[in-house]
Amino acid sequence: MHRIGTANNIKKLIGASLILSLSLTVTAGATEPTSYSIKSRGNIEYDSDKNSNPEVLFYSEDLTAISTGLQALNSQIAVLSNNYDELISQTNGYKTDIINGLNSNVYAKDNLSDESSFNNIVDAINSIPARGDVNVILTNTEKTKTFPAGYYDSFTVTSDFTQLDATLTYSHHIHDLETDAKSEENDSLDVTSVSTVYDDSYRSSVPGGCFTTPYYHVRYSSSYTYQGRCGGHVATGTNDPVNDPRGVFDYCTSCGNRWGAHTGPTNCDRPVTKTVTNNVDKWTTSPNSTESQHIVETVYICSCGKKQGQVTDVHLHFN
């Protein structure tokens, strides 16, 4: 804040200098001794040796130049003053934000004054002690711990249950058809110790509780025919007295087409009508438009987001 006070003094000094300069100019112009006069052309002359030949000390054109310069300087000072006032306003606003932030997050019990300077704020921040890393273990003899104010790099609190006069129990999630928040409490972490009716893969016939995601059974068959080439393998047969007296012939193992003895190709390229059959039998959570026409069964699978027997809570019961 020392700089702000200095700047105000500078503004006052500049203003005072300008007023003094103007007053001296007026005084010089208004003083008319016999040896110090202003001629008709506006020049200031002085007869130093009183020989009626005065010397020109100041030309009137110089007065105009000085006046113009003073006006420009006054304008610049006005701009600087406005900018300075805006800077002061912004700075005070930032300081208020800093104080409010510290009072709400750091100094809740001992607030900083609204009139605090930046030096006060810096000193207050620097005075906050650094506590470093803290690791606290609660035991049967030390069940609570109070920590002083300050900065902490890390903060860990653990409990040594073996020294506590208490027992632990665990809540395990149980799949249910009416609620997805059913649980069973016992003293074991073991999932198999939990009684169960519905496991993770259970399929319910109606939606409810943990089982709300629909699962569709789709089953259908479709076929179509098209003209294509046989493509079957050609083999050699016997006992064809009509085509080959020697009883040897070639035939297609796929369509049965015959040729004379050893006259067939390696593979049958005969045009035939082929049939393609598409059998669909599957479960899906999102059938397409074609499959949705063939849904034969809908069940509901687990969608609670938990596993059967999953630990959901740990309870510490002091004796």
Side-chain angles (χ1 to χ4, degrees):
M1 301 308 295
H2 177 69
R3 294 183 178 179
I4 294 175
T6 302
N8 281 329
N9 292 334
I10 292 174
K11 291 172 61 179
K12 294 178 182 179
L13 181 60
I14 293 174
S17 299
L18 290 176
I19 293 173
L20 180 61
S21 299
L22 291 174
S23 64
L24 289 175
T25 302
V26 173
T27 301
T31 302
E32 296 181 354
T34 56
S35 59
Y36 192 41
S37 61
I38 299 178
K39 300 299 182 180
S40 60
R41 63 179 179 273
N43 294 334
I44 298 177
E45 298 179 350
Y46 180 67
D47 189 359
S48 59
D49 52 6
K50 303 186 186 314
N51 61 0
S52 299
N53 294 314
E55 299 89 2
V56 178
L57 300 179
F58 196 84
Y59 291 93
S60 58
E61 290 82 359
D62 294 338
L63 285 175
T64 302
I66 291 176
S67 176
T68 303
L70 289 175
Q71 292 178 0
L73 181 58
N74 282 333
S75 298
Q76 292 179 3
I77 291 175
V79 172
L80 291 174
S81 178
N82 290 336
N83 292 341
Y84 180 79
D85 292 339
E86 291 179 3
L87 177 61
I88 292 299
S89 177
Q90 291 180 356
T91 303
N92 289 333
Y94 295 149
K95 187 183 73 169
T96 300
D97 291 342
I98 294 173
I99 292 175
N100 292 338
L102 289 173
N103 286 342
S104 61
N105 295 296
V106 180
Y107 297 101
K109 295 183 179 180
D110 188 15
N111 288 348
L112 291 172
S113 169
D114 293 339
E115 303 301 323
S116 299
S117 66
F118 280 108
N119 288 337
N120 298 141
I121 295 173
V122 171
D123 291 341
I125 294 175
N126 289 336
S127 66
I128 300 175
R131 305 296 182 183
D133 299 323
V134 175
N135 185 11
V136 176
I137 301 178
L138 301 180
T139 65
N140 188 37
T141 57
E142 189 176 11
K143 298 179 180 179
T144 61
K145 181 72 174 179
T146 302
F147 300 96
Y151 289 120
Y152 292 86
D153 295 333
S154 66
F155 201 95
T156 304
V157 178
T158 57
S159 296
D160 185 356
F161 295 122
T162 61
Q163 299 186 38
L164 292 176
D165 187 16
T167 57
L168 285 175
T169 59
Y170 307 89
S171 292
H172 298 266
H173 176 73
I174 303 296
H175 289 324
D176 189 71
L177 293 179
E178 295 182 358
T179 176
D180 61 358
K182 188 175 181 179
S183 63
E184 179 179 298
E185 185 176 347
N186 55 47
D187 58 359
S188 175
L189 273 172
D190 189 1
V191 175
T192 59
S193 66
V194 182
S195 60
T196 178
V197 178
Y198 311 105
D199 60 17
D200 296 331
S201 60
Y202 179 78
R203 299 179 182 183
S204 174
S205 59
V206 293
C210 297
F211 304 90
T212 56
T213 299
Y215 196 38
Y216 308 100
H217 183 199
V218 178
R219 183 172 59 202
Y220 64 92
S221 297
S222 62
S223 61
Y224 62 93
T225 60
Y226 70 99
Q227 283 295 117
R229 296 293 177 177
C230 177
H233 176 65
V234 175
T236 300
T238 57
N239 299 322
D240 186 5
V242 176
N243 295 319
D244 191 339
R246 296 174 299 173
V248 180
F249 63 93
D250 290 344
Y251 70 98
C252 175
T253 58
S254 177
C255 64
N257 185 38
R258 290 190 177 189
W259 295 271
H262 304 296
T263 61
T266 304
N267 294 92
C268 180
D269 195 34
R270 182 184 179 191
V272 295
T273 299
K274 292 187 175 183
T275 301
V276 177
T277 301
N278 183 25
N279 294 316
V280 176
D281 188 356
K282 68 176 182 179
W283 286 93
T284 177
T285 55
S286 56
N288 58 39
S289 59
T290 301
E291 293 176 341
S292 63
Q293 302 172 16
H294 305 282
I295 295 176
V296 295
E297 184 181 5
T298 302
V299 296
Y300 298 88
I301 59 177
C302 185
S303 53
C304 64
K306 303 182 182 70
K307 295 291 185 180
Q308 171 67 24
Q310 174 181 327
V311 176
T312 56
D313 294 288
V314 178
H315 308 277
L316 181 61
H317 302 276
F318 290 94
N319 298 327

